[in-house]
Amino acid sequence: GNNPNAIAITPNGQTAYVANYYANTVTPIQIATDRAGTPIPVGDTPVDIAITPNGKTAYVANFHSNIVTPIQTATGVAGAPITVGLIPNAIAITPNGQTAYVVSENTATVTPIQTATNTAGTPIAVGNTPVAIAIAPNGQTAYVASLGSDTITPIHTATNTAGTPIPVGNYPENIAITPNGATVYVANYYSDTVTPIRTATGKAGTPIKVGNGP
């Protein structure tokens, strides 16, 4: 569709789902044949997509309609929209598949969604202008990058409470966690650095100089 800008693949590797920003659809692609299926209507300007570990549901964050659309992968049918904060721009799902966390840029919150019922919980306040989220492999902590406050906010998933923000470089725009969960790496766009954070201590290490605008 028009302006595809996010993609996720089912755990069994059979289907890729593509979010089409200006078409307000998600296109399923059968990987064995590389054929696109019928586009699935979702909300206004879908910007990110995540799939549950069991592969049953794809969750789509719709930037301008402030909703998340759940799609049943078995049928390709979109379910009832789930209301979240203003300008949802990123989404991640816990390894156990129980909770989807949705980052909302304008309200500086993260909304937990219980996947069993597709109900949104109480929004969790994070730093200004959050734009990215990653969840530790053990599922205990979600880390949220907020470019407006130059911080990473850890969220304890057991209680859905935010911990002490961790200062990083200027304009942190993306985040990734090592498979063993020991280190979070944060790309700081205007600092031209990557900041390592030790998850055991929650402390940022010495920034690593990289190229322009990571």
Side-chain angles (χ1 to χ4, degrees):
N2 191 356
N3 197 21
N5 67 349
I7 188 167
I9 297 173
T10 53
N12 63 10
Q14 293 181 1
T15 311
Y17 288 87
V18 183
N20 305 301
Y21 189 84
Y22 286 128
N24 300 333
T25 60
V26 168
T27 300
I29 296 172
Q30 298 304 310
I31 292 174
T33 60
D34 282 341
R35 291 185 178 178
T38 302
I40 304 162
V42 291
D44 190 5
T45 53
V47 70
D48 202 16
I49 185 168
I51 299 174
T52 53
N54 63 11
K56 291 184 177 180
T57 310
Y59 288 88
V60 183
N62 301 288
F63 194 72
H64 284 128
S65 53
N66 307 323
I67 60 171
V68 169
T69 303
I71 296 172
Q72 299 303 310
T73 59
T75 61
V77 174
I82 305 161
T83 301
V84 292
L86 299 180
I87 312 297
N89 61 6
I91 188 167
I93 298 173
T94 52
N96 63 11
Q98 294 180 1
T99 311
Y101 287 91
V102 184
V103 175
S104 294
E105 182 176 318
N106 279 19
T107 48
T109 58
V110 173
T111 300
I113 296 173
Q114 298 304 309
T115 59
T117 59
N118 284 339
T119 54
T122 303
I124 306 159
V126 293
N128 294 334
T129 323
V131 294
I133 184 169
I135 298 175
N138 63 12
Q140 294 179 3
T141 310
Y143 294 88
V144 182
S146 297
L147 55 80
S149 55
D150 299 336
T151 59
I152 300 299
T153 302
I155 294 174
H156 306 295
T157 59
T159 58
N160 283 335
T161 55
T164 303
I166 304 164
V168 290
N170 190 0
Y171 217 77
E173 218 176 44
N174 217 330
I175 187 167
I177 302 175
T178 54
N180 63 6
T183 310
V184 177
Y185 287 93
V186 184
N188 305 299
Y189 187 86
Y190 286 128
S191 295
D192 300 336
T193 60
V194 169
T195 301
I197 298 171
R198 298 300 178 194
T199 57
T201 62
K203 294 185 180 300
T206 302
I208 305 161
K209 191 70 177 176
V210 293
N212 291 339

